[in-house]
Amino acid sequence: MATIEIIIRDDHGNTIEGRARKEYKLDLGNQSFNAIEAAVGTFKNVALPDLKADFLKEAQDNFIKKTTN
């Protein structure tokens, strides 16, 4: 089983607050083309919403900091 690790950092190389890293396991099965395609499709369906939520939370936190200062 393969693993993809995603670490989100800001422009200064610091990990974005609340999410140091996230691992996603890819079940490549027999490593046939169809199994790899299915694993990548599953990864996209799981990882992209997580990433979107992380970026939106970071933007919201930054907005709140700007408006309260």
Side-chain angles (χ1 to χ4, degrees), residues 7-23:
I7 300 171
I8 301 175
R9 299 184 185 277
D10 64 15
D11 294 339
H12 305 289
N14 303 313
T15 21
I16 288 182
E17 200 172 316
R19 174 151 181 193
R21 68 184 182 105
K22 178 83 176 184
E23 288 186 5

Side-chain angles (χ1 to χ4, degrees), residues 1-6 19 22-48 50-51:
M1 185 171 289
T3 302
I4 294 176
E5 181 178 350
I6 297 177
R19 174 151 181 193
K22 178 83 176 184
E23 288 186 5
Y24 299 91
K25 301 214 180 285
L26 269 67
D27 183 7
L28 300 176
N30 59 2
Q31 295 189 354
S32 68
F33 178 78
N34 289 337
I36 293 168
E37 284 288 314
V40 170
T42 300
F43 166 72
K44 289 190 312 185
N45 290 337
V46 172
L48 293 179
D50 287 349
L51 293 171

